[in-house]
Amino acid sequence: MNMTLTEAKELVQGIYYSLKFPGQVDVVVAPPFTALAQVSQIAKDTYIDLAAQNLHEEDQGAFTGEVSGRFIKDAGANYVIIGHSERRQYFNETNELIAKKISAALRHELKPIVCVGETLEERETDSHFAVVEDQITGAIKSFNEAELGHLVLAYEPVWAIGTGKVASIEQIDEIHRHARSVLAGVFTKSFAEKVRIQYGGSVKPDNAKEILSLEHVDGALVGGASLKPHDFVTIIKAAQ
Ligand code: PGA
């Protein structure tokens, strides 16, 4: 819940003016629903793609206050973030609901960016591998490989989001390897290799390069540092 319409427009313009060519990097910004349609007018002439931060699992109807994949697509986004830890934590989103939301995204040709990650308590009780495995399996098991051709997975340890505490390189490396093997276990190795696995949780200009250099880290889901064009562009350059 950051950025008014004006601020979101300025952010996208700021990113584009500071970096004209992102090279091989896919750049996606996820403004609030209220800014999507207008920001998409600005972004459409640039390399910047748009995501929504959430969607409802139904397409339309008597769900006052909710926003569906149909409207998100109509507003000009191509991606949607699903199951962010704040949604899991404050809005009781379960693995089952998240699977329904992925289905809704796919119906409207929105690429799902599905977030997984353990809480501090789960890490301290050494259940992080099992939690992440459950979250990934719960999200994807009711689909087939072809349906999930554009799946993006974001591993975000809850204790590292917005806290300035970044997971260590070893912690990121081992859990990303684990995530890749869980994906391969549900479907196939070739499927697992195609899924982009992003790391999120206090990614900043000064740690992005080291994190993004890891073999199984294919990108970053950036919160706080994405709100400043200069910081975000520095992270895009680290990805390049
Ligand atoms: P952060 O946020 O980069 O500020 O930790 C990540 C997120 O919101 O997913």
Side-chain angles (χ1 to χ4, degrees):
M1 205 159 67
N2 284 292
M3 301 246 152
T4 62
L5 173 58
T6 309
E7 289 163 349
K9 281 183 177 169
E10 279 169 10
L11 177 71
V12 166
Q13 277 160 341
I15 295 166
Y16 187 60
Y17 290 140
S18 338
L19 184 72
K20 281 280 152 42
F21 301 102
Q24 305 271 352
V25 183
D26 289 333
V27 180
V28 180
V29 297
F33 289 136
T34 47
L36 272 180
Q38 287 201 43
V39 170
S40 86
Q41 290 304 311
I42 296 173
K44 73 176 193 305
D45 301 322
T46 75
Y47 55 82
I48 300 167
D49 240 316
L50 289 189
Q53 299 177 9
N54 178 35
L55 83 171
H56 190 267
E57 65 274 22
E58 298 292 338
D59 295 339
Q60 63 178 56
F63 301 97
T64 304
E66 292 298 319
V67 175
S68 78
R70 191 163 169 252
F71 305 150
I72 291 167
K73 189 74 187 182
D74 186 46
N78 288 320
Y79 290 81
V80 59
I81 299 174
I82 298 177
H84 189 280
S85 71
E86 287 147 19
R87 306 263 354 143
R88 292 179 188 259
Q89 193 178 344
Y90 305 133
F91 303 95
N92 304 317
E93 293 199 3
T94 59
N95 290 342
E96 292 71 42
L97 178 65
I98 287 160
K100 285 186 188 161
K101 291 189 172 199
I102 296 172
S103 177
L106 298 177
R107 287 198 294 279
H108 298 287
E109 293 177 353
L110 292 164
K111 298 174 193 170
I113 303 171
V114 178
C115 303
V116 298
E118 80 285 358
T119 61
L120 184 59
E121 197 192 336
E122 289 161 345
R123 160 88 39 191
E124 282 172 346
T125 52
D126 225 21
S127 46
H128 46 293
F129 285 105
V131 167
V132 167
E133 178 164 354
D134 254 23
Q135 291 173 335
I136 296 175
T137 309
I140 67 173
K141 67 175 186 226
S142 51
F143 302 96
N144 61 44
E145 281 189 56
E147 289 172 309
L148 297 176
H150 295 291
L151 174 68
V152 179
L153 201 65
Y155 167 65
E156 300 202 300
V158 178
W159 47 274
I161 298 176
T163 58
K165 258 194 220 165
V166 63
S168 73
I169 287 297
E170 292 72 30
Q171 288 170 328
I172 298 173
D173 186 51
E174 64 177 9
I175 210 124
H176 276 245
R177 280 175 195 280
H178 174 64
R180 190 85 68 195
S181 78
V182 171
L183 291 168
V186 177
F187 297 123
T188 56
K189 194 158 179 269
S190 75
F191 167 78
E193 277 160 10
K194 274 184 264 159
V195 174
R196 288 184 186 194
I197 310 181
Q198 305 183 322
Y199 171 77
S202 299
V203 174
K204 304 277 180 239
D206 62 359
N207 62 20
K209 198 161 177 190
E210 195 184 7
I211 295 170
L212 288 162
S213 304
L214 289 170
E215 185 189 347
H216 292 285
V217 176
D218 307 314
L221 202 164
V222 187
S226 73
L227 303 176
K228 296 180 208 132
H230 178 266
D231 285 1
F232 192 46
V233 163
T234 309
I235 295 170
I236 299 169
K237 287 183 179 159
Q240 288 176 339

